Amino acid sequence: MTHDLLTLAAAGFLAGLAVAMPLGAIGLLILRESMVRGLGEGLAAAAGVATVDLAYCAVAVGFGAAIAPALEPWLPSIAVVSGVVIVGIGAWLLRGALRPAEAATTQDGATIPGRPLRVYGRFVALTALNPATVVYFLALAAVVTTVTTAAAGPAVFVVAAGLASLLWQAGLAVVGAAVGAKVSPRIVRALGIAAAVAVMALGVAAIVAARAA
């Protein structure tokens, strides 16, 4: 049983990394958030993403076998709605990126207090709208339930996946904070524009995939 739990912990950690590691729109946004507003807000963004990964993984592992057949007919519609909202969020982010950047520090170099709870909520919403995340974890649910009969197995998998996601996203926040003071405002602005365009591309891809399904 211990061997099974260790195997599930490793599998969950790898699953969490597989979701988190591709440096897509969310990763770029975490980097920019930390570069512009400091490590605190970058970590808030990272925690928001990891929270959704943990929640989706828990739902998929706990109820995936039961809800997958019920959700399947609705997945294309959910993907289209999510895609439209994501495109709208991307457009809003692009508008903000094109505006002159706000100063994140005072003249003496002190960081201006931000709104970490607002940042956390924004990244929770943006990550939750991505249909690819829930589909990925639903695909893993059946594997988890067949690998072990241990009662703690699913919980071990979920916690390991959430921890892996948190560690990776927090790493991006740390990198963003470390390089933020060393890059020019023009690079930060370009990163914000790239992230916003990537978010819109993510939404368009979700819509196209749903229409093709």
Side-chain angles (χ1 to χ4, degrees):
M1 182 179 295
T2 302
H3 180 268
D4 283 352
L5 293 180
L6 290 175
T7 301
L8 277 176
F13 196 84
L14 291 174
L17 286 179
V19 171
M21 285 183 69
L23 189 59
I26 302 298
L28 289 175
L29 286 172
I30 292 175
L31 279 171
R32 183 179 184 274
E33 194 73 38
S34 198
M35 290 170 67
V36 174
R37 305 300 274 167
L39 181 59
E41 298 215 11
L43 290 176
V49 176
T51 297
V52 176
D53 286 346
L54 178 69
Y56 275 0
C57 187
V59 170
V61 170
F63 307 100
I67 66 176
L71 279 179
E72 187 172 357
W74 296 96
L75 284 178
S77 298
I78 294 173
V80 169
V81 173
S82 298
V84 170
V85 175
I86 289 173
V87 170
I89 292 174
W92 175 74
L93 292 172
L94 181 60
R95 180 185 177 189
L98 291 173
R99 289 202 304 260
E102 295 180 36
T105 58
T106 59
Q107 291 182 350
D108 60 0
T111 301
I112 297 174
R115 299 185 175 94
L117 286 179
R118 179 178 294 183
V119 173
Y120 173 84
R122 174 155 45 92
F123 276 81
V124 164
L126 187 57
T127 310
L129 285 169
N130 185 3
T133 304
V134 67
V135 170
Y136 175 80
F137 282 123
L138 282 173
L140 290 174
V143 177
V144 178
T145 55
T146 57
V147 166
T148 183
T149 57
V156 169
F157 182 91
V158 170
V159 171
L163 179 62
S165 175
L166 178 60
L167 289 176
W168 180 260
Q169 313 298 353
L172 291 178
V174 171
V175 170
V179 303
K182 302 176 183 178
V183 298
S184 67
R186 179 178 297 180
I187 293 178
V188 174
R189 186 169 183 261
L191 184 61
I193 293 172
V197 172
V199 169
M200 289 189 288
L202 181 66
V204 172
I207 295 171
V208 171
R211 296 295 298 269

